[in-house]
Every structure is written in C-alpha cells, then in structure tokens.
Amino acid sequence: MSDLNSTLKLLGITDSNITVSDVRDEIRGHGQGRKKYQVVHAELTYFLERCPSCGMPALRRNGHIRTRIHVNGPTDCPVILELDKQRWRCRNCRSTLTATTPVVKPNHAISTGISEYALKLSKLAIPGKQIASITGISTTSIERIIDDDIKPHPLNYLPVNLCFDEFRSTHSTMSFICIDADTHKRVTVLGDRLSATIKDFFKSHYSSEQRAGVKHICMDMNAAYQNFAHELFPNAEIVIDRFHVIQLIGRAMDQIRIQALKQISDKHSREYKALKTNWKTLHKAKPDAKYRHYRFGLNESLTDQEVIDIGIDPFPKLKTAYETYIDIHDALLGGHPKRLKALIENYQPCGEPMDTAIATLKLNIRGVLNASQTLLSNGPIEGVNRKIKELKRSCYGFANQERMFKRIYQLIA
C-alpha cells in the first residue's frame, strides 16, 4: 500500500485523506480521440461528526461517488484520478454531502494543478488547441478555465503618464489600447478606437479630478486622439512619439532617393550603387567619417560619409532632404526644442515629399517639441502591440474579440 501511495507524491497530491488502491493503463475515447491514459484508483474519506447544514451529530455514511479527475502526471501520458469520494447523509435534516479535497474544486473534473498549468501556458501565447494537447484535456475546457480565471477590468487608478495606440484585433477591426507610460501596466483595452467610445470610457470610470492629474499623453500623430485629449485631460501635455517623427521624415527622404535613382540611366555607376545597395547609410544618425569599410556594390573601402557624398552630391534636392533629416534628427534626440522649432518653421517648400512631412510636423508642433524635452515615448506600448501580433500569429487569429482581449490581459496584466 505504501508503494501505491507514493504515486501521490509523483502527482503532486499532498492530501493525506486520499488512499491509492490501484494504478493501471487504459485506452479511452472513440475514433481519432482514442488515447492512452494512466488511471489511478483511490478513495477519499475522513471523519466527519456534525452536519454542516443543521449542526447536529446525526451523520451516517452513505456510500461513495466515483469521480474522474484529470491531474498532472510525471510523464507526457495524461493521468486520470478515479476518486471514490465518501458521502454522508444527515438523519436529522435529511441533507447529503460529499467529501472535498484541495486537489479539485467541488463539481469539477479538472484538478486545480492542471488549471494553473493551463493558465501558465496561455501566458506564453500558446494556442488553446496546443495547450489542450499538452495538458490532456479538451480545447473547450481550456477556454472555460481562461474565462473563469481572467476577468478583464480597467486599472483602478489613472496614471500620471499615459500611452495611447491602436492595434488590429478581430475581423480587421482597429481596437484602442492604453497603458501606464511609467510602469507599463495596462489601463484598458477597448473594442474599437472611436472617439465616442474612448471618451465614454474615461468619463465613466475616472473622475474629473483623476483625469486632471494626468500630465503627459504619448501617442502617434493620430489627429482623432488629439481632438479629445484636452477635453478629457485638461492639464495633460501631448507628446508625439519620437520614432514616428523620425519615421515620417525618413520615409519622405526615401521617396526623394527613389526619384533620384530613377534619373540614373547607368545602373552600374557609383551613384546608383551608393543609393541602391547602401541606402541604409543615409539613415545613420552619426555617419562615420573616419574608418573605412568594404562596401558591397561599390566594391571599395569607404567611410559612411564618403558613401553618402557619392550618392547625394549629384542631386541637390536629395542633399537638401538629407540635411533636413539629419538636422531634425539631431535636434529632436539631442533635446534642443528651440533649434527644432526653428528648423520646422523656417523650412522652405521645394515641391518634394519632404514638404508634406514638414507640414505634418507643423500641425503637431507642440507635441513634437514636447518629445524633445522628455524621455517618455510610445516604446512600451509598441512592445505590447508586438506581443499582441505574436499572440495572433501563433493562434492563427481570433474569431471572438472578448476571448482575444482576455489573452491580451494575461500578457500585460
């Protein structure tokens, strides 16, 4: 008997009221669902004197009820605990009761250990079907465990610094997400990004005093967010994410570079190779002008600055766009708001894509200047969006938005 009871230790069961009587292998299921299980037969009983309902010492034993519980096993083979639970009947109030154990919740057939293990796996962005295969239970059971454990709710306080962004959720719907810019904790995830939905949420969950305490809101150049930001958060400063500013002017410079490439008829010339093969050199914040490295395409050793000069010198418009890109980049990341403001406001349009980029920066000048004076950014929320994309990719998308949001709350709780 002691050898059989030692199996409880392997299963992680510490309830001394359970006694094992048999261990065997069985094939269960039908068709493709047939599977080999390790079946452990045991009995759960203990002494109980008084009835929980009436408090009288009138209990008598009333047989056993057999339950089949999925438990964690020491191997990949799923384990079922066939547990005969003791039953009692009260002679006074005629009520009946069944023995309980911390191994499993009452009226459940899945042990608490498997439920906790399934929740740990779901935090790793593993699909529900794969979790079910690992734990030996059904996909529906995995979904029920997640639904019972995770109750999405907004943060009970409003952080001082917020990050706003959106992501693609289900059926190509764009959903809104907000997190704490300092601790990276989630504030909320909403089903859509409509201004009315966002305004209703913040007004209904947070008081005007709480909303007045928000100091900074980091976001991209989404005009819709800026239209209602000061209505909800009257004392908050808008901070345009620095990455989006650099990305905007970098793409404008690339458009001008592509126009220059189309003007070069000789595809083997040094200018073409410098702009085509070594285009990433133009995006370097501090190009090296001292050390030479071998450059593919050009087939010679050159410094970063020499490669740039070869590419931009024959094209004055590209050279102007490149200088604008570098100046704005240095002023923004170097923390020089006055210089940055002068560069944006004194820019002279020349009929190129850079004109549109600078015009966009002028419309968001306050937020762009704030970005040069603070270390806050949308980096944390972009990292969260990356996790959401990985979750969607590994799970092959979601059809149920509510269930997707529960998995997201696990990632950023």
Side-chain angles (χ1 to χ4, degrees):
M1 186 65 68
S2 60
D3 292 338
L4 290 174
N5 286 335
S6 65
T7 60
L8 294 177
K9 295 181 180 180
L10 294 175
L11 300 177
I13 298 175
T14 59
D15 190 347
S16 59
N17 297 320
I18 298 177
T19 304
V20 178
S21 60
D22 184 30
V23 178
R24 61 186 184 275
D25 292 338
E26 287 188 9
I27 302 295
R28 297 193 175 190
H30 302 281
Q32 294 182 348
R34 289 177 62 82
K35 190 182 300 184
K36 180 181 178 181
Y37 290 88
Q38 287 183 344
V39 181
V40 179
H41 187 268
E43 180 185 4
L44 170 64
T45 184
Y46 48 82
F47 177 73
L48 192 61
E49 182 179 3
R50 294 184 176 273
C51 174
S53 299
C54 65
M56 298 298 291
L59 289 178
R60 64 179 178 85
R61 293 177 181 270
N62 191 30
H64 295 77
I65 181 172
R66 176 164 294 184
T67 58
R68 294 171 177 83
I69 305 166
H70 292 267
V71 296
N72 284 325
T75 63
D76 293 336
C77 182
V79 180
I80 292 179
L81 177 62
E82 277 192 347
L83 189 61
D84 291 335
K85 295 182 178 180
Q86 180 69 58
R87 288 178 60 81
W88 293 272
R89 184 179 180 86
C90 179
R91 289 174 292 184
N92 181 54
C93 65
R94 304 297 180 182
S95 63
T96 60
L97 65 146
T98 305
T100 60
T101 174
V103 174
V104 64
K105 295 179 181 178
N107 303 319
H108 281 62
I110 298 173
S111 68
T112 54
I114 281 192
S115 298
E116 293 172 357
Y117 186 42
L119 290 171
K120 287 181 180 179
L121 292 176
S122 65
K123 286 184 179 180
L124 303 177
I126 298 177
K129 189 175 291 187
Q130 188 174 345
I131 297 174
S133 176
I134 294 172
T135 56
I137 58 180
S138 67
T139 306
T140 305
S141 297
I142 296 297
E143 293 174 351
R144 186 168 56 250
I145 290 171
I146 294 174
D147 290 342
D148 292 342
D149 184 79
I150 303 172
K151 305 296 182 184
H153 60 277
L155 207 61
N156 55 9
Y157 66 92
L158 199 56
V160 175
N161 301 312
L162 300 175
C163 288
F164 284 3
D165 206 355
E166 62 275 340
F167 65 95
R168 194 176 300 279
S169 56
T170 56
H171 308 295
S172 299
T173 301
M174 297 301 295
S175 299
F176 174 79
I177 183 172
C178 175
I179 69 170
D180 186 339
D182 298 315
T183 65
H184 308 170
K185 291 183 177 180
R186 56 107 183 98
V187 175
T188 188
V189 179
L190 301 179
D192 59 64
R193 59 174 179 176
L194 298 178
S195 299
T197 304
I198 300 172
K199 288 164 64 175
D200 289 344
F201 166 78
F202 282 104
K203 287 181 178 180
S204 61
H205 287 81
Y206 304 103
S207 65
S208 56
E209 291 78 10
Q210 288 177 306
R211 289 186 277 111
V214 177
K215 295 181 179 179
H216 297 94
I217 304 174
C218 298
M219 63 178 72
D220 53 21
M221 283 172 273
N222 189 323
Y225 296 159
Q226 299 184 45
N227 289 337
F228 64 77
H230 288 295
E231 177 185 347
L232 293 175
F233 313 102
N235 300 322
E237 290 283 350
I238 303 297
V239 179
I240 302 299
D241 184 49
R242 290 182 290 275
F243 168 79
H244 290 87
V245 176
I246 301 301
Q247 183 187 58
L248 179 68
I249 58 176
R251 286 177 174 175
M253 181 182 68
D254 271 338
Q255 291 180 30
I256 301 173
R257 176 182 63 84
I258 293 172
Q259 292 175 3
L261 281 172
K262 293 179 179 179
Q263 299 175 18
I264 303 175
S265 57
D266 184 5
K267 307 304 180 184
H268 300 284
S269 64
R270 298 178 78 219
E271 293 82 2
Y272 188 88
K273 296 295 185 180
L275 295 179
K276 179 72 174 181
T277 309
N278 299 273
W279 65 272
K280 290 184 179 180
T281 310
L282 273 69
H283 289 268
K284 286 189 174 181
K286 295 180 180 179
D288 184 15
K290 184 177 181 181
Y291 297 101
R292 288 183 167 84
H293 303 281
Y294 182 80
R295 307 290 173 169
F296 290 98
L298 291 169
N299 298 327
E300 51 185 309
S301 296
L302 299 169
T303 65
D304 291 340
Q305 192 59 55
E306 288 173 340
V307 174
I308 293 170
D309 291 340
I310 291 172
I312 67 175
D313 282 346
F315 306 98
K317 291 183 178 180
L318 177 58
K319 185 174 184 178
T320 302
Y322 172 75
E323 292 173 350
T324 302
Y325 170 82
I326 291 297
D327 291 342
I328 292 178
H329 186 287
D330 292 345
L332 179 64
L333 300 186
H336 305 291
K338 292 183 178 178
R339 181 186 170 199
L340 179 61
K341 183 178 181 181
L343 287 170
I344 295 174
E345 293 183 344
N346 298 332
Y347 176 82
Q348 299 298 321
C350 56
E352 295 296 329
M354 187 63 75
D355 299 352
T356 305
I358 299 298
T360 304
L361 295 184
K362 286 182 179 179
L363 292 175
N364 299 273
I365 187 67
R366 185 67 259 169
V368 174
L369 296 180
N370 289 336
S372 66
Q373 302 177 74
T374 178
L375 295 178
L376 296 174
S377 74
N378 253 21
I381 204 168
E382 295 294 348
V384 170
N385 286 347
R386 175 63 179 174
K387 290 183 178 181
I388 293 174
K389 289 180 180 178
E390 290 178 353
L391 175 65
K392 287 179 60 181
R393 188 181 300 113
S394 64
C395 296
Y396 300 97
F398 288 86
N400 188 310
Q401 189 183 75
E402 182 180 356
R403 184 154 288 131
M404 177 184 179
F405 284 2
K406 288 183 178 181
R407 296 294 299 271
I408 291 173
Y409 268 78
Q410 278 191 300
L411 297 176
I412 59 176

